[in-house]
Amino acid sequence: MTALLPEGFRDALPPFADSEAAAEAAVLRVAASYGYERAAPPLAEFAEGLASRLKAGGLTDAVRFVDPISQQTLAIRPDLTAQIARIAATRMGHHPRPVRLSYAGEVLKLRGGQLAPARQRRQIGAELIGLDSVVAAQEIVGIAVEALSAAGAGGVSIDFTLPDLVEVLAGGPLPVAADRVAMLRDRLDAKDAGAVAAIAPDYLPLIEAAGPFATAMQRLRALDVAGALASRLDGLETIAAGIGGDVTLTLDPTERHGFEFQSWLGFSLFVSGAQREVGRGGTYTVVRDDGSEEAATGFSLYADALVAGAPRPERRRLFLPFGTPPGDGAALRAQGWVTVAALDADDTPGAQLATHIWQGGGVQPV
Amino acid sequence: MTALLPEGFRDALPPFADSEAAAEAAVLRVAASYGYERAAPPLAEFAEGLASRLKAGGLTDAVRFVDPISQQTLAIRPDLTAQIARIAATRMGHHPRPVRLSYAGEVLKLRGGQLAPARQRRQIGAELIGLDSVVAAQEIVGIAVEALSAAGAGGVSIDFTLPDLVEVLAGGPLPVAADRVAMLRDRLDAKDAGAVAAIAPDYLPLIEAAGPFATAMQRLRALDVAGALASRLDGLETIAAGIGGDVTLTLDPTERHGFEFQSWLGFSLFVSGAQREVGRGGTYTVVRDDGSEEAATGFSLYADALVAGAPRPERRRLFLPFGTPPGDGAALRAQGWVTVAALDADDTPGAQLATHIWQGGGVQPV
């Protein structure tokens, strides 16, 4: 009998588990206020189906098992976005576009990453299926920012990226052989100037074009003499202009990690106190059953990351001495108190982490 | 590429998924108001550890997979109670008793049952670890009833049972050979009078002792001439007396299915409109690391069952025509409206299932 958990798994305990749940509820409340209704796909699906729904998305590192009923391989979802895409494309395929959906659920990976060893996380998000326009992205980015603030996060910053930038340039003004594009993208993502110079020296300035939004944007504009990026850059500037002034904006045009299936826009969300990004979003393409494609925009947040940097939440608990009439407790809870009733005569406010005690018909601090 | 899900799995879609989430939040809000703080154990654990924590609890029908990191077998939890017991016994082992914990999470089974084919459910509950007294059970039953009402359920009824009844009688006034007790329990649970008569005819009246609470209690009292059940029956009567008058109470003393690991008290929760029980609870025994045992009381609810019988929820959605100033939307959301913004000029209130439209500075019904 062991109390140990497998590597990459954890128990969330009070009062932190309560904070994570409260942060999640706040995020979903904001999404709901913009018309994003809940969808809750199952933990497990046919592995083959789960993998096929996102263009360029793969089903790497999912936990799989053989279903004794269907004799097929099922996978536990490593990500919820593909399932939301499936629902929008199939069961809600007849709904007028755009479809707005929100969700919260566990995702599981067979292995954790080096930087992110967790194998289970709770993914919370909102997806707008049917549109990836600038206006659509404005709505999604705006909801993400408002959700972070509602969840109590401060010091929000957004790092934008242009996931298909290299493909656009390579297929236009700065040609690169098709078989070298993936390598170039990878080396740009790693900011490996030597390798980029060897593959396609024209792309070197992109490494320099990362940083504060306005500066990075200027450098990209200067690079884009042929105007191949003009619509993307105009769109990005419109989105940035719509974001409130207390959000820090940066731009890393060649960031690729985590944006493998995004199209023209990607963004990472940061908050003060959190060591890593707390979420991510962007535009992407959903594959429908008939093989046709549909644009989409969305974001995901992770409650654990969001709460990790927050101060330890304060408790307010009112101790009800043994024998307190039930009506007293009910009245106090109706006033908003968390009551903790002594269930035998030996129980104490200290044992129950109570901050207050119900005594002589009044609330006293402990 | 298939839209089909494996048998026993389902998508929850709007507006039902929203209802399930709202019911869950209501249940957890009630538990929190009684001092039950959240714990969130992981989806997967070492299979061996997960199985060992509940006395008489087994790990049947769990999804298992080999962990590539530890090379050990992990199991996806088929139930959350064992994990809460583990947390209370280990990481919160030093906390004064009782420990009050609440939770909500997915549970997964490799196979569904005949009556309950679902292989994934969302289990919501509250556990009081360290006590299984009548007062403890009163608190738990009271919270369960209040939670059902907060979740919008009507016509609540509670069916009590006495899970260890046969063991108590067989070890005392109505002796039965130890190797026949399990069979007797099983046949009593099935209300199989012929088989019960063949094994131990003294137990036949127990089959008749099921029904409305007061009548069933009278019959049990009449049976219990030796007084072996007196403390249990007194306790049950006290618990029943503390429950509000609009709850229907029944007693099925030999019901065993679903109460395999409960001790002296078990109960099933029903609400009008739901075809099956919506939850279950009782007293049980937790095994600590040093092999010592600890009493506990708790209940679990299933949001899907709770919501299944409810009427289709009504939507209230306010359509914001294309180009509505962002400040208007923010003000309307602050008033409590769910706004759905047109993201292009062609979008319509009908397409967005809107019930109202923002027009000329006022809210109009569609």
Side-chain angles (χ1 to χ4, degrees):
Chain A
M1 195 153 71
T2 171
L4 283 179
L5 293 176
E7 194 179 316
F9 293 97
R10 72 185 180 111
D11 292 318
L13 299 184
F16 303 101
D18 300 272
S19 298
E20 287 180 27
E24 172 178 323
V27 169
L28 290 169
R29 207 154 41 229
V30 170
S33 76
Y34 283 85
Y36 289 70
E37 295 187 312
R38 294 288 288 271
L43 274 176
E45 293 202 13
F46 293 119
E48 212 176 329
L50 194 56
S52 64
R53 195 57 66 174
L54 291 183
K55 200 181 170 186
L59 188 66
T60 53
D61 245 6
V63 169
R64 289 156 206 258
F65 61 98
V66 175
D67 176 8
I69 298 175
S70 67
Q71 302 294 335
Q72 293 190 53
T73 301
L74 306 189
I76 309 279
R77 61 181 174 217
D79 179 272
L80 255 148
T81 315
Q83 291 190 303
I84 300 297
R86 173 183 58 70
I87 287 175
T90 58
R91 300 196 50 188
M92 299 184 72
H94 61 290
H95 276 246
R97 273 26 193 171
V99 167
R100 288 172 170 91
L101 292 173
S102 65
Y103 54 88
E106 308 298 335
V107 294
L108 202 62
K109 289 187 177 167
L110 194 57
R111 290 178 184 81
Q114 267 196 311
L115 284 172
R119 292 198 268 173
Q120 179 187 345
R121 302 191 81 182
R122 191 156 172 87
Q123 185 181 357
I124 312 164
E127 309 292 331
L128 176 75
I129 295 113
L131 269 182
D132 69 347
S133 63
V134 170
V135 183
Q138 277 189 302
E139 174 163 300
I140 284 291
V141 172
I143 293 172
V145 169
E146 189 174 331
L148 288 173
S149 153
V156 174
S157 89
I158 306 180
D159 188 26
F160 286 102
T161 187
L162 294 165
D164 67 1
L165 172 76
V166 174
E167 283 86 343
V168 169
L169 292 175
L174 301 176
V176 177
D179 63 348
R180 311 206 71 187
V181 169
M183 162 86 76
L184 173 61
R185 244 171 27 200
D186 181 69
R187 292 299 83 202
L188 279 167
D189 189 15
K191 313 248 182 299
D192 178 351
V196 171
I199 303 168
D202 289 345
Y203 285 78
L204 273 174
L206 284 178
I207 296 184
E208 297 299 313
F213 189 82
T215 323
M217 186 59 88
Q218 270 178 359
R219 290 190 181 142
L220 275 180
R221 292 269 188 205
L223 258 169
D224 187 38
V225 283
L229 303 177
S231 70
R232 281 167 173 73
L233 299 182
D234 292 349
L236 201 47
E237 223 146 32
T238 305
I239 294 165
I243 298 171
D246 51 349
V247 176
T248 305
L249 303 181
T250 56
L251 173 57
D252 184 351
T254 60
E255 171 85 20
R256 185 79 189 170
H257 181 71
F259 297 99
E260 290 79 3
F261 70 88
Q262 265 77 10
S263 54
W264 75 272
L265 178 73
F267 58 88
S268 301
L269 300 160
F270 298 85
V271 304
S272 66
Q275 299 209 327
R276 304 190 56 227
E277 75 270 23
V278 296
R280 206 177 269 158
T283 58
Y284 56 96
T285 301
V286 175
V287 183
R288 304 185 72 151
D289 279 349
D290 60 5
S292 67
E293 297 179 355
E294 164 163 59
T297 315
F299 75 90
S300 290
L301 295 173
Y302 296 92
D304 56 336
L306 202 49
V307 167
R312 187 185 177 87
E314 272 183 43
R315 287 181 168 101
R316 277 186 96 236
R317 286 158 72 92
L318 174 59
F319 185 78
L320 304 180
F322 188 56
T324 298
D328 289 10
L332 290 160
R333 284 187 295 277
Q335 288 167 33
W337 280 101
V338 168
T339 64
V340 199
L343 300 182
D344 59 42
D346 295 336
D347 209 350
T348 65
Q352 295 304 328
L353 306 173
T355 53
H356 296 77
I357 181 167
W358 178 242
Q359 216 162 30
V363 171
Q364 312 291 337
V366 168
Chain B
M1 195 153 69
T2 172
L4 283 179
L5 293 176
E7 194 180 315
F9 293 96
R10 71 183 181 113
D11 292 318
L13 298 184
F16 303 101
D18 300 273
S19 299
E20 288 182 26
E24 171 178 322
V27 169
L28 291 169
R29 209 156 37 230
V30 170
S33 77
Y34 283 85
Y36 288 70
E37 295 187 313
R38 294 288 288 272
L43 273 177
E45 293 203 13
F46 293 119
E48 211 176 330
L50 193 57
S52 64
R53 195 59 65 175
L54 291 184
K55 203 181 170 186
L59 187 65
T60 53
D61 245 8
V63 169
R64 289 156 207 257
F65 60 98
V66 175
D67 176 8
I69 297 175
S70 67
Q71 302 294 336
Q72 293 190 54
T73 301
L74 306 190
I76 308 278
R77 60 182 176 217
D79 179 271
L80 254 148
T81 314
Q83 291 190 305
I84 300 297
R86 174 184 57 72
I87 288 175
T90 57
R91 299 197 51 189
M92 298 184 72
H94 61 290
H95 276 245
R97 273 24 195 173
V99 166
R100 289 173 169 91
L101 292 173
S102 65
Y103 54 88
E106 308 299 335
V107 294
L108 202 62
K109 288 184 178 170
L110 194 55
R111 290 178 185 80
Q114 267 195 311
L115 284 173
R119 292 199 270 173
Q120 179 186 344
R121 301 191 82 182
R122 191 155 172 88
Q123 186 181 354
I124 312 166
E127 308 293 330
L128 177 75
I129 295 113
L131 270 180
D132 69 348
S133 63
V134 170
V135 184
Q138 278 189 301
E139 174 163 302
I140 285 292
V141 172
I143 294 172
V145 169
E146 190 176 329
L148 288 174
S149 153
V156 175
S157 91
I158 307 181
D159 188 26
F160 286 102
T161 186
L162 294 165
D164 66 2
L165 173 77
V166 175
E167 283 87 341
V168 169
L169 293 175
L174 300 177
V176 177
D179 62 349
R180 311 205 74 186
V181 169
M183 163 87 75
L184 173 60
R185 244 173 24 200
D186 180 68
R187 292 298 86 204
L188 279 167
D189 189 15
K191 314 249 180 300
D192 177 352
V196 170
I199 302 169
D202 290 345
Y203 286 77
L204 272 174
L206 284 178
I207 294 183
E208 297 298 313
F213 189 82
T215 323
M217 186 59 87
Q218 270 177 1
R219 290 190 181 141
L220 273 180
R221 292 268 189 208
L223 257 170
D224 187 38
V225 282
L229 302 177
S231 69
R232 280 168 174 70
L233 299 182
D234 293 349
L236 201 47
E237 224 147 32
T238 306
I239 294 165
I243 298 171
D246 51 349
V247 176
T248 305
L249 302 182
T250 56
L251 174 57
D252 184 350
T254 61
E255 169 84 20
R256 185 78 190 169
H257 182 71
F259 298 98
E260 290 80 3
F261 70 89
Q262 264 79 7
S263 53
W264 73 273
L265 178 73
F267 57 88
S268 301
L269 300 160
F270 297 85
V271 304
S272 66
Q275 299 208 329
R276 306 192 55 228
E277 76 269 24
V278 297
R280 204 177 270 160
T283 59
Y284 56 96
T285 301
V286 175
V287 183
R288 306 187 67 153
D289 278 350
D290 60 5
S292 68
E293 297 180 355
E294 165 164 56
T297 315
F299 74 90
S300 291
L301 296 173
Y302 295 93
D304 56 335
L306 201 49
V307 168
R312 187 185 177 88
E314 272 182 42
R315 287 181 168 102
R316 278 185 95 235
R317 287 158 69 92
L318 174 58
F319 185 79
L320 304 180
F322 188 57
T324 299
D328 289 10
L332 291 160
R333 284 186 296 277
Q335 287 167 33
W337 280 101
V338 167
T339 63
V340 199
L343 300 182
D344 59 43
D346 295 336
D347 209 351
T348 65
Q352 295 304 326
L353 306 173
T355 53
H356 295 77
I357 181 167
W358 178 243
Q359 216 161 31
V363 171
Q364 313 290 338
V366 167

